Amino acid sequence: MSIILPPKPSLSRRGFLNLTAAGAATAALSACATTNGGDQASAASVGQPPASVEPAFGDYTTMYSSVVDEGYEIPAIPLKKVQSKFMRQIVPDPTGERPGTIVVDTSAFFLYLVRENGEALRYGVGLGRQGFAWSGRAVMQWKRKWPTWTPPDEMITRQPELEKYSARNGGMQPGLTNPLGARALYIFQNKQDTLYRIHGSPEWWSIGKAVSSGCVRMMNQDVIDLYDRVPNGSPILVTSGLGTA
């Protein structure tokens, strides 16, 4: 039986923080991008999650409510339009990895953060072409709050209107419409950038789906929660081997 994790108290306090300068992402950040016009209407109602759960752990409404973070007001998630299995929750660990490991299961659209005592914190994710293109073991080398996005040259060739966001022009500045959302985690293997990213997204309707582009996307409320739990150097495993069980 899944247990719902409490919202982290520190998140509610962020509403009183002043906007700080977000670290500019490297050119390699361009590997991830937004979908080309997400279909909100297709995210039909899939059943309302519980209005409340074990009192010690809060509830989904609180977890996914509107929050002000680093000066940006992130909208609440419409819970009736997101499958409850893709919402943040504690589950029995299916990975067998050591605590502190991030595991992305691309076959089931789940990201696990392994905990002690045979448990894992599970989040729903969306995957783009880049999200399926790489697998293996690596480390989360570093992370950024409200990163800058720079589309790759090949994307600009297809969509010339994105030239204004090129690395030459400084990229797209942080914000609610930035494809990388509120946070980005950068994955390196053997000290080399894999161009693989775990990042936030304003497109909540893409969670649990394969979308047109991007790496591993999470709801902004979830990526903030994950960011606060994992230090630089955390191990990561990306695999399609866990299945849907």
Side-chain angles (χ1 to χ4, degrees):
M1 179 177 180
S2 297
I3 305 174
I4 307 306
L5 192 73
K8 294 173 69 63
S10 60
L11 293 181
S12 62
R13 294 196 293 269
R14 287 195 180 91
F16 303 97
L17 297 176
N18 292 325
L19 176 63
T20 58
T26 62
L29 183 61
S30 62
C32 295
T34 189
T35 58
N36 295 324
D39 182 10
Q40 298 187 47
S42 66
S45 176
V46 291
Q48 186 175 6
S52 62
V53 292
E54 169 59 42
F57 291 97
D59 57 54
Y60 282 128
T61 302
T62 302
M63 286 184 190
Y64 294 104
S65 63
S66 176
V67 60
V68 177
D69 176 78
E70 304 288 332
Y72 300 98
E73 185 172 0
I74 299 171
I77 303 297
L79 299 181
K80 291 183 180 181
K81 295 184 177 181
V82 179
Q83 293 185 63
S84 59
K85 69 178 181 179
F86 292 126
M87 296 179 188
R88 189 190 325 159
Q89 54 196 286
I90 295 177
V91 298
D93 172 39
T95 72
E97 297 294 321
R98 63 185 176 90
T101 303
I102 299 168
V103 180
V104 178
D105 179 7
T106 58
S107 66
F109 297 90
F110 289 139
L111 182 151
Y112 298 90
L113 176 59
V114 181
R115 294 160 55 93
E116 301 283 354
N117 302 317
E119 295 180 339
L121 177 54
R122 191 181 75 189
Y123 308 83
V125 300
L127 297 167
R129 287 188 297 271
Q130 293 91 341
F132 288 107
W134 185 88
S135 63
R137 292 186 181 274
V139 297
M140 192 275 290
Q141 188 77 10
W142 48 284
K143 54 187 181 176
R144 286 286 184 270
K145 295 182 178 181
W146 295 99
T148 299
W149 175 62
T150 53
D153 288 340
E154 55 268 27
M155 177 176 287
I156 294 173
T157 299
R158 296 192 305 268
Q159 299 175 259
E161 68 275 12
L162 296 179
E163 169 62 31
K164 61 184 177 180
Y165 301 130
S166 68
R168 296 176 292 277
N169 291 318
M172 178 186 284
Q173 295 305 300
L176 295 175
T177 60
N178 186 298
L180 293 180
R183 303 286 190 274
L185 283 59
Y186 301 79
I187 311 306
F188 281 58
Q189 187 181 54
N190 299 323
K191 299 182 179 180
Q192 298 294 318
D193 190 353
T194 65
L195 305 184
Y196 203 82
R197 310 286 183 252
I198 298 170
H199 61 89
S201 174
E203 298 173 339
W204 53 264
W205 57 90
S206 68
I207 302 304
K209 298 179 182 179
V211 292
S212 63
S213 56
C215 291
V216 177
R217 57 176 60 196
M218 304 175 70
M219 289 181 279
N220 277 322
Q221 285 87 339
D222 280 346
V223 80
I224 290 172
D225 184 84
L226 177 65
Y227 179 101
D228 289 343
R229 295 180 187 278
V230 292
N232 290 341
S234 295
I236 180 168
L237 169 65
V238 178
T239 180
S240 62
L242 294 181
T244 57

